[in-house]
Amino acid sequence: AALALDDMVKQDRTAGADWFTYAQFLESTGAPPRYAMAAYLKSEGVLRDKADTKPREALEAKLTKAEAAEVRRNMSDWVHSALSYHP
C-alpha cells in the first residue's frame, strides 16, 4: 500500500528509496528475479542520477537478454505483478 501511495507522488525521492528497498526485499525472499528488476528500475526512474544501479545490473546479468528486455518493455505490468507478490 505504501508503494502505491509513493507512486502517486511522482517527484518524491523517498519513493525511489522505498522501491529500492522493496527490490532488495523481493530478492531476499526468492521472488521471481523479474519482479525485483522491475522494482529496481522503478527506483531508478524516480531517483535518476542519484540511483544505485549496481544491484539491478548484477541481477540483470543473471537474466537472459530476452527476459531483461521483456521487463523493460512491459515494466508497468511487471511492477504491478511485483506489488502483488506474497512470499
Side-chain angles (χ1 to χ4, degrees):
L3 290 169
L5 290 172
D6 280 347
D7 204 28
M8 290 191 293
V9 183
K10 303 291 185 199
Q11 302 303 320
D12 184 2
R13 296 231 184 238
T14 60
D18 291 345
W19 279 104
F20 185 86
T21 301
Y22 187 58
Q24 291 178 315
F25 165 77
L26 289 169
E27 280 195 286
S28 73
T29 61
R34 289 183 256 188
Y35 291 176
M37 182 178 161
Y40 280 128
L41 288 170
K42 184 75 170 174
S43 170
E44 290 173 18
V46 175
L47 294 173
R48 301 184 190 264
D49 62 332
K50 304 262 190 248
D52 180 2
T53 61
K54 287 181 177 72
R56 191 251 322 137
E57 291 167 353
L59 177 62
E60 191 169 359
K62 296 176 186 176
L63 300 174
T64 67
K65 288 184 181 187
E67 289 171 328
E70 165 63 21
V71 173
R72 288 177 181 279
R73 188 172 40 256
N74 297 307
M75 198 175 99
S76 63
D77 292 340
W78 285 105
V79 165
H80 179 71
S81 295
L83 287 173
S84 302
Y85 177 72
H86 299 285

